[in-house]
Each structure stands twice: as C-alpha cells, then as structure tokens.
Amino acid sequence: MALALQTFATVKDANAALKAVGTRYLGGGTLVVRAANEGDVSVSGFIRSTEPSLSAIVIADGKVRIGASVTMSAIARHPDLGTLAKAARAVGGPAVRNMATVGGNLFAPAPYGDFAVALLALDAIVGTDDGETPIEIFLANREGSRAIVTSVSFALPKADSFRFLKVSRVKPKGVSVLSIASVLALAPDGTVSLVRIALGCMADRPMRASAAEKALIGRTLTADGIAPALAAAGDGTSPITDPIASAWYRNEVLPVHLGRLLLA
C-alpha cells in the first residue's frame, strides 16, 4: 500500500492534518518510516512541516531553544553547544545522526532516546502548538499527545556542570545498555547543592533518579560522599530486558557507571 506524504508550510496546518486516522508526523523518519517498512499497517500517511522555526537553534541570555526538526548532527557541530555534543553523538552512527531529530528523540522507546535523557537532566521545556510542558510531564504522557512538538528549551549548562555517559557493548554506535546524564552545582564548601540525574533504559522511557538525587544533596563528590546515592540509584527503576542486556544486568551495572560519571 502506498503511503501518502503531505507537506505544510505551518505547524498549525500540519497539526490539523494529523487529526486524520492513521497519519503520523514525519521528522527525520528514523522511527516512523522504519515502523511502516516493518509492516505497521496502522500508518496510512505522513505529515510534515517546513516552518523555519522547526530547524532553528537560538541561543540568547544563557537560554537555548532548539527546533524540533534540528538533527543530532547539527547539535554536535554547533559551536555554542559543545557541552551537548557528546550526547548528540551518542545517537546512532553518522547516517542516523544526519536524520534523527530532537523531536523524534523524545518519542524514541528504550533502548533508544539517548538525547532525551540529556534533555531530562537539563530540565527542558517541550514546546508544542498547544503550549509548553516540562519534559518530565511530557515524557510521562507522550503516547497521548497528538500535538506536534515544535521545540525544546533549557538553560545552557556550564561545561563543568553537565555530564553524560552512554554504555554500549558495540563501539562507537551500539545500542545503549544504559545512558546517564546529570547536572550538578556545588556550594562554596564543595558539597552538592543542586543535582538532576536522568537515566535511559532503566524504564520504558527516560526517568529521573530521584532517590539518588536526594541522597547526593549536601554530600561531596568523593567515593564516600556518593556512596548513599549509588546505593539508592536503582530505587524506582524498572529496567528493560532486550537482546542487548537483561533488566538484572542493567540494575547491577547502574551504580558502577553512575559512580564513574559522578567522580569524573
């Protein structure tokens, strides 16, 4: 069966077209086109928009706005987004990064969606034609959303405050065993005053390591200081089992890799 492709100049018009049964929004196509090629008969057609703001990166006054159609390659090579380059390069190989978009990554099921893990740690705001939603709330309800994602926005992290780690069996572009992103701020006495930790593959979508975050506040980034956080790292997680790794294995290695990230 042939799949129809409709292109609209504005997100508003594309959103209206998405109300038709069986339509899917087409960004980079790394998810929806593959699903259609693999026989997903629920897909009857693709909708896309060429609105310029979807492909724009705007940085001003320490704030970043990335359009939903911006690719991982564009982020990785942007001169002012060097702190996020590692997370962008964690998404597949060069061919995938040239197509994979920020908006699509928000919908990628585990073990994919490594850049969404970074955005969760950055406490990003997800923009749609309907308004703005904190990323944690958006991820929790993403299956029910039919509004086209237009952007993500966040405060540009300092180079020494944002950390990202992807663990995979195949280097350099293997599927994730797990991924971890964190944003840390230290008080004058060297103790942790603010922390956000996001995990990939430890649930069916990126999640916050809330218990570990709580255990880190007021502690130093030393082996002894982070020990309570590592002990609590698996609290509330429900890791996936797939051909890459079992849930048991992901639970076992999470504290090891979180420790490496925090002590880096």
Side-chain angles (χ1 to χ4, degrees):
M1 180 181 69
L3 296 176
L5 171 62
Q6 300 178 72
T7 301
F8 297 90
T10 68
V11 171
K12 182 178 181 180
D13 289 341
N15 261 325
L18 268 179
K19 293 179 181 178
V21 175
T23 56
R24 299 288 188 277
Y25 186 76
L26 179 66
T30 57
L31 295 174
V32 294
V33 172
R34 182 176 68 180
N37 287 340
E38 291 177 348
D40 186 346
V41 295
S42 69
V43 182
S44 61
F46 296 124
I47 305 295
R48 64 189 292 265
S49 174
T50 56
E51 187 167 311
S53 63
L54 292 173
S55 300
I57 299 175
V58 179
I59 302 175
D61 301 323
K63 302 291 184 181
V64 181
R65 181 196 178 279
I66 303 178
S69 294
V70 173
T71 65
M72 297 298 106
S73 291
I75 294 170
R77 65 174 178 260
H78 195 285
D80 298 321
L81 293 177
T83 51
L84 299 181
K86 185 176 182 180
R89 293 192 186 105
V91 178
V96 172
R97 290 195 293 273
N98 283 337
M99 299 295 293
T101 63
V102 170
N105 216 250
L106 293 173
F107 292 91
Y112 308 108
D114 297 304
F115 195 75
V117 176
L119 292 173
L120 181 55
L122 291 166
D123 205 22
I125 299 295
V126 178
T128 69
D129 209 32
D130 293 338
E132 296 184 329
T133 307
I135 186 170
E136 194 165 5
I137 296 175
F138 177 86
L139 290 172
N141 300 286
R142 66 187 183 184
E143 285 82 7
S145 175
R146 288 289 285 175
I148 296 171
V149 173
T150 56
S151 66
V152 293
S153 305
F154 51 89
L156 185 65
K158 296 179 180 178
D160 58 351
S161 68
F162 176 76
R163 305 178 185 189
F164 179 85
L165 173 68
K166 174 179 175 177
V167 181
S168 61
R169 296 183 185 274
V170 179
K171 310 294 182 182
K173 60 179 182 178
V175 175
S176 292
V177 172
L178 62 89
S179 53
I180 311 171
S182 70
V183 173
L184 292 159
L186 301 180
D189 64 356
T191 59
V192 175
S193 59
L194 178 147
V195 58
R196 291 191 298 272
I197 300 171
L199 307 174
C201 297
M202 298 307 294
D204 66 341
R205 67 201 68 204
M207 62 170 290
R208 289 276 292 271
S210 302
E213 293 173 349
K214 184 177 180 181
L216 267 181
I217 296 295
R219 309 284 296 190
T220 58
L221 294 180
T222 62
D224 289 339
I226 68 172
L230 302 188
D235 290 3
T237 62
S238 181
I240 65 168
T241 289
D242 62 10
I244 304 300
S246 67
W248 173 87
Y249 181 78
R250 287 183 162 104
N251 261 328
E252 288 296 302
V253 300
L254 172 61
V256 175
H257 293 291
L258 178 58
R260 291 174 180 172
L261 183 75
L262 294 175
L263 295 176

